[in-house]
Each structure stands twice: as C-alpha cells, then as structure tokens.
Amino acid sequence: MNIEPTILDAVNKWLTPAFDAKTQEEVNELMTTAPKELEDSFYKDLEFGTGGMRGVMGVGDNRINKYTLGKNTQGLSNYLHEVFPNQEIKVVIAYDCRHNSDTLAKIVADVFSANGIKVYLFSELRPTPELSFALKHLKCQCGIVLTASHNPPEYNGYKVYWQDGGQIVPPEDAAIINAIEKLNYDQIKFAAQDNLIEYINTEIDNAFIKSSIENASFNTPQSAKDELEIVFTSLHGTSIKSIPAVLETAGYKNVHIVPEQAEPNGDFPTVKSPNPEEPEALTMALALAEKTNADIVVGTDPDCDRLGVAVRNNDGKMILLNGNQTMVLMTSFLLKEWKKAGKLNGKQFVGSTIVSTPMIMELASSYGVECKVGLTGFKWIAKMIKDFPELEFIGGGEESFGFMVGDAVRDKDAVAATLLICEVAAQAKAKGSSVYQELQQLYVENGFYKEYLVSLTKKGMEGLQEINQMMVDLRENPMKEINGQRVIMVEDYQSSTALNLLTQEVSDLTFPKSNVLIYYTEDGSKICARPSGTEPKIKFYISVNAAIENVSEITEAEAFLDQKIASIISEMQLK
C-alpha cells in the first residue's frame, strides 16, 4: 500500500524525539503490519464535535492518546492564562469507567499543573453531571471530563466545560481550538507540579447528591414512593456512584439494581453497546423487572448523562420509551408542578433542540411558557441559561435521551432526571394512573407526535467522503416532494438560510452555522439530515404527527404514522 505524502509527513513527526520510545515503536509497527490502520490514525486531526472530542485510543493525530490530549490541554492552558490574567486559575477533572480514563485524566492534570494551574482531580470515576456541578461549586474557570459517552470500548474522549458549568460554545470554542492548532507537540509541558493537584471525593459527592434531590423532588408523598418498584442499571458505568444514593436519600427504597452490570467495566461485557438508546442494552434490566414486578426501568450510559426508560403499557407489558417521549413526560410534569406552585409568570422557559420532537413546543405553549430551540447538543441549552439571565430555566431535553432539571448542572444529567422520572411514576401510580397513561393523555392534548431515527454508519476516510457527498446531494438537489407531500420549506443551517419552496422566499436563520438540513412537508412532517459530530455516522431524524381526540384513537393513529415513517425511509433510500 502506498501512503499518501501528507499522511507520511504526519507519521514522520511521530518518529521524532518529541514522542517517547514506546509511541515511536507503535508507529513503526503500524507502518509494517497495519498500513490501513496507519492511514486512519493519521489522515486527519481529531476534531471537537457536538460533544467534545471522541475517538479510538491509539497512536496518531486521529486518535486519543497522551499527546493529542496533552496538546489540547496545553492549548487550553495558554488560553486560560490569556483570558484570566493575574488570577488564580482553577480547573476540575473527572473521568469515567473507560480503559485508560484514569491514566489520561492524570496526564491532563499534570499538563495543567505544569502550566501553573490549580487542579481538582476526582480520586475515582464520577458521573459527567457531577463534573459540571463541581466546576461551579468550586468556582473553577474550566472543567474537563474524560469520557466517550456511549461509544464502543475502544473509544475515549475529552469534553471541555467553561465557568458557567456548560460545555464550551462560541466564541470560546473557536478561540480554544485556535490556541491548540498553533502548537507543536514538543511544546507540551508534561512535568507536573504535584503541589497544584488536589484530589477530591466525598465532600463534592454529598453536595451533588443534595443538589440533585433539591432540584428533582416535587412533594411526592412517602406512601407513593413506597409503592413504586424500580429497576436500575448503570450498564457498567459511573452512575452507580450517585443514582442509588440519590434515590435512597430521596425516599425510594424499592430499587432493584442489576447486579451483573453494577461493577464499572470499560469492556461493557454484558452488552453489545452501553447505550440506553439501544433496546438491547436494557435486556437484563427488563428481565429483572419481570422478576420483581417493577413499575419502571431506568438505565444510564457510561458517563451518566443519558437515561433510557421503560414502563408498563396498558396491558402490563414493559415497553421502552424513546428520548422524545421521556423529555415530553418530564417537561410536562415540571410545567404542571411549577404552575401548581404559582411559579409561572411568563418569565420562564424550557429548552429543546432542532432535531427533537416539535411536540415540546406545543406543550410549552399550552402553559404560556416559551420554548427556546437550539442546535443539537446540550451545550446549546446550557448557553440559553447564560444568554437569558432574566428568564428562569425550568428544564430541557433532546431526543438522544438527555434531560436537564433546573440549572445546578449545565449539561444533560441522568442523576436528577432519574429521580424526576421516578417522581412522575410514583405520583401517577398513586392516583391510579401510570407513566404510559400520562403520555397517552399528553398526545390527546397536544397532538400525537411520533419520531424515528435512522443512523447510517460510514467508517474511515471513504465513509467520511460518502457522508459529505450525501449532504452535498441533499443541498444541491433538494427534494420537492416526500411521500406524496410537497416540501414547503428547507432549512440549511450551514448557510443559515431557510428557503420557502412555495414562494421561493429566502429568510435568515439566527443560529450558529452547523452542517444540518431540515425538510418540512405540507402535512407537518419534518426530516432532518445531520452528520454526527462524534461518531462516523449520518443521522436522519423523522417526525410525523396526527391530531387525535381521545385515547381510543391512538392505536389507529400510530399505525398510520408508522406507515408514513416507513414510506419516508423507503422513498429517501435510508437503508
């Protein structure tokens, strides 16, 4: 195999004294035994996406390793000194259960300390939302979490949080990336100042647990909590450190933990994917639910920012809810509780994203509450809180199984969200209803919305080219009709324009630029195309809806919407 000159140049840099002998040996071995892997390891620099930087661990510019993360941290250190001159700069670092997370976290801490920055480093793995909380609690300017969320075991990642507790957004993100790109690897300071590294643990844990309960508890009677049977699985991840303690302290005693998945393990041995968005991930939890006659199942991803939920339908069968359904249920519950407490006065808002269900806007409107919609990723919902200080943030969610309750944590938070959905379930059961029946009633009141996600994996350099070409085709040859319905609007977030196909009028989109296209049809259907920022995938989000007048119409309406989704997938060849 011939190696392209640009890739060979990148490889040769990693064979210089800036890199240790072990790294150089690994590069040489790839050159002789795995040229295809060598190409994938060096053909581009690993980039920041919607959820920070994620990648396969190994040597090379397109891999997660001590040098790519060291370079990130050195650039970030330089930027922190630039924007916070003559101040004590403090950062906090957390990490998840993945292989090498603890080692990489210590390397990141070393580089910060080598640059004269005070570091708080969790002594063991902790949930990502606790990092966001700790950043504000300790009054740090910046935070880092080492995680690859729900990606496969060979991945790891690096998320950067700013002083408000949210992930970096414009203008900080571009400025930090610019500071990183200016650097060569030989400029990384790895020599730690150990006196600047302080290990943290139970004091922060206790404050985080207390805050989670304060934010997500809503006067549920103890008798209702006593009646609720819960199954919980951490899927081998970090949530085992917080969620059982939060539920117990909040008064939920009947919590059955899946024992085979309770031990943190970066191999995730009992699941194909540690992603609660995947039904298979909750197989063991659902089996335990049948044994214990549980009312609700909750499973979280490795870094504990997403949660999957299963509840019993009207026939008593456990069914998995999708992220749109859980966010609608939790948002409705919050709005109802805020209204009951007399706290709604027109100065509140809820948050969502452009790829999430439009039903959330109908729901917010019914309470006279504004729904602010941002780009994909919770950093944009966190930014809303910062951008609109005159408004109170109630809660927010996105279709990818994330939810945030209040503003103590500025990222999706499966700890508080788990407690919140248990509050929903306990109160529903106490009044002779169920989570499923509550959802059905919301469909009657706000319209029956159904969403479906098609995710196409395209790995490697060729896969990236294929994804790029798909987006080019959708832009340059926009569909005029989908499933017999005219396309009436195309929103292009890369050009920040919305084209009305009926009038040919072009209007501006007031969002940061992003590689996203959304088609709207005359029957209210919505199809969004978006390359993933953290995985080699292109995603198509389909939303359809129908009006119903009572619960008895749901079965027929669902069959109609399922057929509509299937027709859209077939016509757009999303297979």
Side-chain angles (χ1 to χ4, degrees):
M1 173 181 171
N2 290 323
I3 301 174
E4 288 187 20
T6 54
I7 294 175
L8 193 58
D9 287 344
V11 170
N12 285 331
K13 286 179 185 174
W14 283 64
L15 296 173
T16 64
F19 299 87
D20 60 35
K22 182 173 180 290
T23 297
Q24 293 183 51
E25 285 172 21
E26 290 175 12
V27 173
N28 278 315
E29 188 173 342
L30 285 180
M31 290 182 76
T32 55
T33 63
K36 187 68 177 171
E37 187 180 340
L38 181 83
E39 178 185 78
D40 193 58
S41 299
F42 286 93
Y43 81 93
K44 64 170 185 171
D45 289 343
L46 206 56
E47 298 170 348
F48 277 90
T50 50
M53 177 181 278
R54 286 185 219 163
V56 174
M57 289 177 277
V59 295
D61 299 310
N62 189 34
R63 292 288 185 264
I64 293 287
N65 52 65
K66 67 178 283 189
Y67 294 101
T68 53
L69 296 194
K71 187 177 175 184
N72 284 354
T73 307
Q74 184 62 53
L76 182 52
S77 298
N78 294 349
Y79 181 72
L80 284 164
H81 281 297
E82 183 183 323
V83 297
F84 300 109
N86 307 314
Q87 294 184 39
E88 181 192 20
I89 300 172
K90 299 183 290 184
V91 303
V92 57
I93 302 170
Y95 58 91
D96 70 4
C97 60
R98 288 179 177 273
H99 298 304
N100 304 314
S101 278
D102 53 351
T103 304
L104 291 170
K106 180 59 167 65
I107 289 168
V108 170
D110 289 349
V111 175
F112 277 129
S113 71
N115 284 276
I117 293 171
K118 168 72 176 179
V119 180
Y120 296 101
L121 176 62
F122 277 101
S123 58
E124 292 181 304
L125 74 173
R126 289 295 189 278
T128 288
E130 187 168 350
L131 181 280
S132 174
F133 172 84
L135 199 163
K136 292 203 297 172
H137 186 76
L138 295 167
K139 296 181 171 57
C140 296
Q141 289 94 338
C142 180
I144 303 292
V145 62
L146 281 297
T147 176
S149 188
H150 56 276
N151 285 52
E154 64 270 22
Y155 280 75
N156 214 319
Y158 181 96
K159 283 195 208 178
V160 183
Y161 291 76
W162 211 235
Q163 58 186 342
D164 66 320
Q167 289 185 55
I168 54 169
V169 292
E172 286 85 16
D173 56 355
I176 290 167
I177 290 166
N178 184 51
I180 294 166
E181 289 176 346
K182 285 180 182 176
L183 293 172
N184 296 319
Y185 287 108
D186 60 6
Q187 294 174 280
I188 304 168
K189 298 176 184 176
F190 284 114
Q193 294 188 49
D194 291 331
N195 62 308
L196 289 177
I197 300 175
E198 179 180 339
Y199 288 91
I200 55 175
N201 41 59
T202 52
E203 183 185 339
I204 302 298
D205 295 340
N206 293 337
F208 175 60
I209 288 168
K210 182 172 182 283
S211 173
S212 299
I213 294 169
E214 287 173 353
N215 274 291
S217 294
F218 291 90
N219 301 312
T220 302
Q222 186 59 48
S223 58
K225 295 176 183 179
D226 290 343
E227 289 298 312
L228 191 70
E229 296 286 340
I230 304 163
V231 164
F232 168 69
T233 176
S234 58
L235 296 178
H236 304 289
T238 60
S239 63
I240 200 69
K241 295 285 185 180
S242 300
I243 288 178
V246 165
L247 290 175
E248 183 178 5
T249 309
Y252 290 92
K253 308 301 183 187
N254 306 319
V255 181
H256 309 276
I257 297 172
V258 178
E260 300 90 339
Q261 298 176 328
E263 187 69 28
N265 188 329
D267 287 324
F268 312 112
T270 64
V271 291
K272 290 180 183 175
S273 168
N275 184 357
E277 294 178 81
E278 303 288 342
E280 181 274 337
L282 296 183
T283 300
M284 295 179 82
L286 291 170
L288 183 57
E290 292 310 319
K291 285 183 185 175
T292 59
N293 196 29
D295 301 293
I296 187 168
V297 168
V298 178
T300 56
D301 68 345
D303 69 326
C304 188
D305 59 1
R306 300 168 195 253
L307 75 164
V309 177
V311 296
R312 296 198 182 274
N313 66 11
N314 294 339
D315 298 322
K317 181 185 176 185
M318 271 286 171
I319 60 160
L320 297 166
L321 301 178
N322 63 42
N324 286 304
Q325 291 171 319
T326 53
M327 73 180 278
V328 163
L329 280 160
M330 289 191 280
T331 303
S332 171
F333 182 83
L334 289 174
L335 289 167
K336 180 186 70 177
E337 291 294 326
W338 277 60
K339 183 177 181 180
K340 191 192 301 181
K343 292 165 63 179
L344 296 183
N345 60 7
K347 294 183 179 179
Q348 292 76 34
F349 77 98
V350 297
S352 185
T353 69
I354 58 174
V355 299
S356 300
T357 179
M359 183 177 171
I360 207 76
M361 289 180 274
E362 298 292 331
L363 179 61
S365 177
S366 71
Y367 281 87
V369 170
E370 185 177 357
C371 178
K372 293 188 179 296
V373 179
L375 294 174
T376 309
F378 251 77
K379 61 185 180 183
W380 301 110
I381 295 179
K383 186 175 185 293
M384 295 169 191
I385 300 171
K386 186 167 59 173
D387 289 348
F388 300 96
E390 71 280 9
L391 299 179
E392 287 183 281
F393 176 71
I394 295 174
E398 63 178 358
E399 60 75 39
S400 61
F401 290 60
F403 199 81
M404 181 164 65
V405 188
D407 65 358
V409 169
R410 300 289 178 93
D411 201 356
K412 50 187 177 286
D413 176 5
V415 179
T418 295
L419 176 55
L420 180 64
I421 197 65
C422 289
E423 293 277 285
V424 175
Q427 291 194 23
K429 186 176 183 181
K431 68 179 184 181
S433 179
S434 69
V435 174
Y436 187 75
Q437 288 172 344
E438 296 294 301
L439 180 62
Q440 288 185 310
Q441 190 56 41
L442 288 174
Y443 287 147
V444 173
E445 295 168 2
N446 300 281
F448 187 2
Y449 284 77
K450 184 149 193 183
E451 281 75 31
Y452 191 82
L453 172 64
V454 178
S455 186
L456 305 178
T457 300
K458 309 282 183 182
K459 291 186 176 180
M461 190 159 55
E462 293 85 357
L464 179 62
Q465 291 168 350
E466 192 176 344
I467 288 170
N468 290 340
Q469 189 58 49
M470 290 172 80
M471 293 300 291
V472 167
D473 293 342
L474 285 167
R475 280 193 170 90
E476 295 184 352
N477 304 293
M479 301 176 72
K480 303 290 194 297
E481 188 177 283
I482 300 174
N483 192 31
Q485 297 289 323
R486 286 185 301 173
V487 175
I488 58 174
M489 180 78 74
V490 179
E491 293 177 344
D492 187 344
Y493 288 78
Q494 189 153 281
S495 63
S496 300
T497 58
L499 171 63
N500 185 319
L501 294 181
L502 302 182
T503 65
Q504 297 303 306
E505 182 182 352
V506 178
S507 55
D508 295 330
L509 295 172
T510 56
F511 287 81
K513 292 188 184 300
S514 183
N515 190 14
V516 180
L517 274 173
I518 302 182
Y519 286 77
Y520 296 90
T521 66
E522 58 188 339
D523 67 345
S525 298
K526 172 183 169 185
I527 300 97
C528 172
R530 170 186 162 265
S532 170
T534 51
E535 299 172 274
K537 294 179 178 179
I538 182 168
K539 298 182 176 183
F540 293 86
Y541 306 80
I542 301 168
S543 177
V544 295
N545 65 86
I548 57 173
E549 294 187 1
N550 56 66
V551 170
S552 65
E553 297 174 21
I554 285 181
T555 301
E556 185 178 344
E558 186 162 24
F560 168 71
L561 295 178
D562 283 341
Q563 181 55 53
K564 184 176 282 193
I565 289 169
S567 298
I568 291 170
I569 291 170
S570 176
E571 186 170 323
M572 294 186 70
Q573 300 180 337
L574 304 181
K575 296 282 179 69

